[in-house]
């Protein structure tokens, strides 16, 4: 059994430098700005161009869902919005889910926020929600993300050859996953 109530209520998760809190429409301005950031768009392989209205509606619909968890990553001291981390595609029968994360811009990269947010989300996924497996996809040209995921305990499982086309070039997509009882450094 997984704890769908824990998904619906999304408790705040506190780390050393970041706090994860329910993502909602109050984060529109920073979310909208992040979507215009070309480096983040490239690293997440986001082809879709969203309208302001779509983003507002998407954010407003996040609270209360019981089949996923959308968290805003905030600075612990100032509660500035640094990015988002999401547990989605939850399969209750197989107790599995998908992971994704993006900080809001390059000024936030490489400071440990991503690794810490990943570890907090995994603690919640395994120890609170009760999942058995969390998986993700990362592009071959994103070694920073691969390293952050390894530091949180994800293991590389496979390679989807040329599964991404970005600006006219084919790229491989790496699959990584972590199981409940794998080491979580
Ligand atoms: C991916 C992301 C969440 C990682 O979070 P972060 O806070 O930047 O990463 P951290 O600072 O926690 O850790 C980065 C690690 O990668 C390493 N790293 C950085 N650039 C690297 C490179 N080119 N090659 C190898 N390792 C690299 C850092 O040295 C650090 O490892 P270390 O602590 O062993 O030195 C963040 O960079 C991000 O949001 N990027 C844009 C969106 C994105 O890529 N999302 C993921 C899509 S799958």
């Amino acid at each position: 059994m997984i704890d769908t109530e824990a998904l619906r209520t999304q408790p705040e998760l506190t780390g050393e430098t970041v706090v994860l809190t329910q993502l909602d429409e109050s984060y529109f301005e920073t979310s909208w700005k992040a979507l215009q950031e070309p480096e983040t768009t490239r690293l997440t392989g986001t082809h879709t161009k969203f309208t302001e209205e779509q983003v507002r509606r998407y954010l407003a619909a996040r609270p209360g869902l019981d089949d996923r968890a959308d968290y805003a990553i905030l600075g612990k001291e100032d509660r500035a919005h640094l990015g988002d981390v999401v547990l989605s595609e939850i399969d209750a029968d197989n107790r599995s889910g998908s992971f994704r994360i993006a900080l809001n811009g390059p000024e936030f990269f490489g400071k440990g926020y991503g690794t810490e947010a990943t570890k907090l989300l995994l603690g919640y996924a395994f120890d609170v929600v009760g999942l058995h497996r969390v998986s993700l996809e990362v592009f071959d040209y994103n070694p920073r993300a691969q390293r952050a995921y390894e530091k949180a305990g994800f293991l590389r499982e496979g390679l989807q050859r040329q599964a991404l086309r970005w600006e006219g070039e084919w790229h491989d997509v790496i699959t990584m996953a972590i199981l409940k009882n794998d080491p979580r450094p």
Side-chain angles (χ1 to χ4, degrees):
M1 278 281 285
I2 64 162
D3 187 345
T4 50
E5 187 60 12
L7 291 166
R8 198 180 63 74
T9 52
Q10 280 191 225
E12 192 157 287
L13 309 172
T14 304
E16 274 173 31
T17 63
V18 300
V19 169
L20 306 190
T21 199
Q22 171 72 62
L23 184 68
D24 63 24
E25 60 194 307
S26 67
Y27 299 101
F28 171 75
E29 296 299 336
T30 38
S31 301
W32 179 250
K33 194 163 162 251
L35 283 168
Q36 320 308 316
E37 177 55 62
E39 184 61 357
T40 313
T41 309
R42 183 179 78 88
L43 292 169
T44 53
T46 308
H47 289 295
T48 315
K49 293 268 178 276
F50 298 102
T51 66
E52 279 197 36
E53 183 51 29
Q54 281 173 322
V55 175
R56 276 188 203 283
R57 250 189 284 132
Y58 179 83
L59 292 171
R62 297 308 89 197
L65 300 177
D66 67 1
D67 60 351
R68 54 185 291 141
D70 297 80
Y71 274 105
I73 306 167
L74 309 182
K76 190 174 175 181
E77 294 297 313
D78 56 3
R79 294 184 74 87
H81 184 203
L82 308 176
D84 303 333
V85 60
V86 178
L87 187 63
S88 63
E89 295 174 45
I90 289 177
D91 175 337
D93 295 319
N94 295 309
R95 294 191 209 159
S96 62
S98 296
F99 175 92
R100 75 173 172 75
I101 184 168
L103 299 177
N104 283 344
E107 67 272 33
F108 304 119
F109 299 171
K111 296 179 175 165
Y113 299 141
T115 303
E116 195 185 339
T118 302
K119 288 181 174 179
L120 283 171
L121 203 276
L122 290 177
Y124 165 76
F126 292 127
D127 305 333
V128 181
V129 179
L131 293 188
H132 177 70
R133 173 186 164 86
V134 176
S135 62
L136 62 80
E137 293 184 345
V138 57
F139 304 136
D140 56 3
Y141 56 76
N142 196 350
R144 188 195 301 110
Q146 290 168 44
R147 176 76 190 124
Y149 299 149
E150 278 167 11
K151 285 197 294 174
F154 279 96
L155 298 177
R156 181 171 160 149
E157 289 191 336
L159 183 82
Q160 302 168 48
R161 294 175 305 144
Q162 302 192 353
L164 175 76
R165 188 156 173 84
W166 191 257
E167 292 181 346
E169 302 285 331
W170 293 108
H171 296 279
D172 296 340
V173 177
I174 296 159
T175 308
M176 302 179 80
I178 178 170
L179 303 181
K180 184 181 172 65
N181 294 325
D182 282 342
R184 270 180 264 156

